[in-house]
Amino acid sequence: MRRVTLTQFLVGRQQSNGINADLRLLVETIARACKAISTRVNKGALADGPAGPATSNVHGELQKKLDVLSNEILLEANVWGGNLAAFASEEEEKPVPITEPYKRGEYLLLIDPLDGSSNIDVNISVGTIFSVLRCPKTPEGKFCEPEEAAFLQPGSRQVAAGFAVYGPTTVFVLSVGDGVHAFTLDRETYTFVLTHPEIRVPTETAEFAINASNMRRWEPPVKRYIDECLAGSEGPRGKDFNMRWVASMVADVFRVLWRGGIFMYPRDSKQKEGRLRLMYEANPMSFIVEQAGGAATDGRTRILDIQPQSLHQKVPVILGSREEVERVTSYHR
Ligand code: F6P
């Protein structure tokens, strides 16, 4: 099979007018930053030096936490490209506008620089999630100031979204609105190679992912769905289910894309708004899952239709194989 790199794939999309040059460059820059983060994640404890993570480095500075470092890698990679108006991140309270001497572009980038970072110390997959929106224009046709309000657009307006999983291999999953494609990092050539074209979420599934330690606090519809799965072939579903929970959304969602199933982080009596962030976790993942033929709701509403109220707002998430998501959503009605 002919090897297609991410760059070749994106150039192809540009030539067929699927994306413009600025969006192509933006995605390439994000992917390049993900390679750098992957290299750093791979070093693991070796990067901390022989005395462990609490020591200072050769410059007498304290070693930065990996999520902070990943944020800086993404910001530095993107700040000078000329295609961004502003950048928002889980690690930054407010959006970071692009300022002089750099040129401002038309896109807004939202990221979770290192998702699942509590898994790093125990050598379990982590990842980067990103979402791209257009900066809105004023009635006069000029780009708005890229403040928080400019970012508060429903997920259906995303022009691109994706995530990288730093696992046994580094995989970069992307959608620019015409399906979902995944690229594996070839460490010999340091390029992302298309390995999973046109991903479709399988409809037949018998796997669910949820943090079952919260079971006593779930709402009745979620409890009912999981009880029915657990009842297996003797219950109303008439088949046995398997449970998986990596506790890294990137790894859990990649599995759902490839093997089907459902991923849930519902609201509960303790986490009343849910746990995951709407704008840089739920929205990009829902865009990807829908583009792959799956579905995503908060139990009642399609995630991509939710009007955000604030940059860091949380939301319950139920996503994956369409029939399963529709079943849980119908239990909420
Ligand atoms: O970003 C939040 C996150 O780390 C997700 O990647 C993951 O799905 C979830 O939290 C894990 O939550 P818990 O610690 O409850 O298992």
Side-chain angles (χ1 to χ4, degrees), residues 5 34 64 69 93 187 194 235 242 248 255 284 297 325 329:
T5 65
C34 290
K64 280 183 188 145
L69 198 65
E93 198 195 331
R187 290 198 183 271
L194 181 60
N242 204 356
S248 258
R255 187 191 58 253
T297 73
V325 173
T329 308

Side-chain angles (χ1 to χ4, degrees), residues 57 116-117 127 135-137 141 172 200 229-230 237 303 317 330:
N57 64 17
S117 52
C135 191
K137 288 190 173 164
F172 187 78
R200 302 297 294 168
C229 292
L230 293 175
R237 301 298 304 271
I303 298 235
V317 175
S330 74

Side-chain angles (χ1 to χ4, degrees), residues 112 115-116 211 245 247-249 263 265 275-276 281:
D112 181 355
D115 179 69
N211 182 346
W245 184 247
S248 258
M249 192 188 196
F263 167 94
Y265 215 120
R275 149 139 194 174
L276 302 172
E281 292 183 313

